Amino acid sequence: MERKYIREVKAGESVFLQGWIYELRILSKMAFILLRDSSGMIQCIIKDKELMKKISELTLESVVEIYGKVKKANVKAEFARDDLEIEVTDWTLISKADKLPIHLNEKTTTTSFSKRLDYRFLDVRKPKVYAIFKIESTIMQAYREFMINEGAMEAVFPSIISASSEGGTELYALKYFEKKAFLSQSCQLYKQMLVCSAEKVFTIFTVWRAEKHNTSRHLNEARQLDFEMAFADEFTVMDIMAKAVQYIIKKVMEKNKEELELLGVKLKVPKVKYLTFEEANKILKKNNIKTETKDITLEGEKKFGELFLDTIVFVHDWPIKGKPFYIMPKGDGLSHGFDAIYKGMEITSGGQRVHIPEILEKQLRERDLDPKNFKSYIDSFRFGAPPHAGWGLGLERLTMLILGISNIREVTLFPRDRERLTP
Ligand code: ATP
Ligand code: MG
């Protein structure tokens, strides 16, 4: 008999199911199993006397194959299909689970987050946790789809870099044969080099930042949705970013209805607002929020989340002092750089880049970085470099904000932070 997924079973048919035992209730003459597979859960009832004799071999999370008849039913069990149940005719125990170290079924007891992360491979079996990662998967897929529709080329870039830091963060050093090397803080320089031939480039790239922060919005290893485009300025790519996020959110609303419901999240496709850095700070001052001369404060980001609900707020004409050396200056101390703020947090930084070697060298020196360390990068713009622009959008940031989850670790399968290096 061919295996059926729980989502597919129909009333009246005989089925062969494979899955895990999420819940097990053994009464004197019958037993109830909530069987889970990647598609859902269904209640299975065991009434047969012979089968009841071997019921003690079953434990929570054991892997079983179940044979049975699908019956119409009115099931009340949380997470399970409410329309059908299985009358079990036989089962095979495939892999017996030991006593669980954490509670997957948190009806009565809850487990601390740190312990949950210790056993993340089990934690992710919980329907609500699984829902988060199904949605994150949709986000990545939708991003790819959007970019392919845009005609962008997907590329992969090295994560081990030789020396030169872009600045703005600490790097992890490592031994690379006889040399010293570092883990990459972004693929910025590489995507710029490629954009000079491919014109539109995208990637999902892992970044490492050795910052000793312990916040609920930072990881030491994070993923970025990156994009870079030739013959474009910051306004072109802000528009593309807004459309990408709108596309992603539409896809999540379409594909993850059940998961959103399970998590109690009501999503709206965001609107878009553009503010200059100066306008942004004027609004903040009016609202008695502290401002800075080269960045938007955390309280400021939060305030924009309150003032502009379900809106991607682009702050452009950013002071050049607050942007990295590769952002194009605009004169008057301003730049072609921008940040995007959504639901009260920065999700993206981007801008038009410098494609002119002399300006790169000047801006490096202004930031106390040595142009010699960036020679191959700078030289790559000496052989026909078009003006170009792009951005990096935090995957986990976006996921946590879309889902209204306050700790970024909740949306990271195996988070790396200051304390955690396993599993
Ligand atoms: P922040 O100011 O929030 O610390 P950043 O300006 O240092 O971020 P960028 O270098 O601009 O970050 O990276 C682009 C995007 O990648 C950010 O807007 C954010 O969404 C995400 N991101 C950056 N650093 C982290 C991190 N440590 N953990 C999680 N996401 C991050
Ligand atoms: Mg930034």
Side-chain angles (χ1 to χ4, degrees), residues 11-35:
E13 60 181 1
S14 292
V15 287
F16 162 51
L17 303 174
Q18 294 175 312
W20 292 256
I21 299 175
Y22 179 70
E23 206 175 281
L24 181 62
R25 267 190 305 139
I26 302 171
L27 312 176
S28 61
K29 295 212 168 84
M30 59 197 299
F32 295 89
I33 290 173
L34 273 190
L35 184 76

Side-chain angles (χ1 to χ4, degrees), residues 46-107:
I46 300 161
K47 290 181 186 157
D48 184 275
K49 266 191 196 156
E50 287 307 303
L51 289 179
M52 282 303 284
K53 282 183 190 162
K54 60 167 186 171
I55 195 77
S56 61
E57 72 174 20
L58 298 183
T59 58
L60 289 179
E61 290 304 312
S62 284
V63 176
V64 286
E65 291 181 343
I66 285 186
Y67 296 87
K69 272 231 149 75
V70 187
K71 299 257 161 97
K72 284 213 166 119
N74 191 359
V75 179
K76 293 272 183 315
E78 201 185 9
F79 309 128
R81 280 189 70 155
D82 56 6
D83 55 341
L84 299 173
E85 64 185 21
I86 308 285
E87 194 177 302
V88 178
T89 53
D90 201 3
W91 78 73
T92 312
L93 177 63
I94 300 294
S95 170
K96 185 166 180 160
D98 288 354
K99 188 176 177 326
L100 299 177
I102 61 168
H103 296 280
L104 298 198
N105 196 331
E106 296 188 316
K107 273 183 194 151

Side-chain angles (χ1 to χ4, degrees), residues 242-288:
K243 291 191 170 115
V245 173
Q246 288 169 333
Y247 184 88
I248 287 169
I249 290 176
K250 258 188 226 148
K251 282 287 158 178
V252 170
M253 289 164 73
E254 268 168 44
K255 285 176 98 174
N256 298 106
K257 281 198 185 82
E258 284 171 34
E259 287 77 20
L260 290 172
E261 201 173 307
L262 200 59
L263 297 169
V265 175
K266 288 207 172 63
L267 269 183
K268 277 196 187 144
V269 177
K271 295 171 279 190
V272 185
K273 186 166 187 70
Y274 289 91
L275 296 171
T276 64
F277 187 84
E278 197 183 339
E279 286 165 346
N281 277 331
K282 256 191 205 146
I283 293 174
L284 293 178
K285 274 186 195 135
K286 237 197 219 158
N287 284 277
N288 298 318

Side-chain angles (χ1 to χ4, degrees), residues 323 339 346 348-349:
K323 285 290 170 193
D339 269 15
E346 176 194 323
T348 309
S349 286

Side-chain angles (χ1 to χ4, degrees), residues 188-242:
Q188 181 59 37
L189 312 184
Y190 293 98
K191 61 178 181 169
Q192 280 188 262
M193 289 197 262
L194 187 62
V195 89
C196 290
S197 49
E199 293 204 32
K200 284 185 187 176
V201 177
F202 81 99
T203 191
I204 300 179
F205 191 75
T206 305
V207 302
W208 290 271
R209 298 175 178 197
E211 290 160 28
K212 288 186 177 166
H213 41 46
N214 234 336
T215 77
S216 56
R217 53 194 242 152
H218 289 101
L219 297 160
N220 291 103
E221 179 183 80
R223 264 61 40 176
Q224 285 182 352
L225 310 177
D226 270 284
F227 176 65
E228 205 68 27
M229 179 173 171
F231 305 105
D233 64 11
E234 71 273 32
F235 289 96
T236 318
V237 298
M238 282 191 278
D239 182 53
I240 292 176
M241 200 218 91

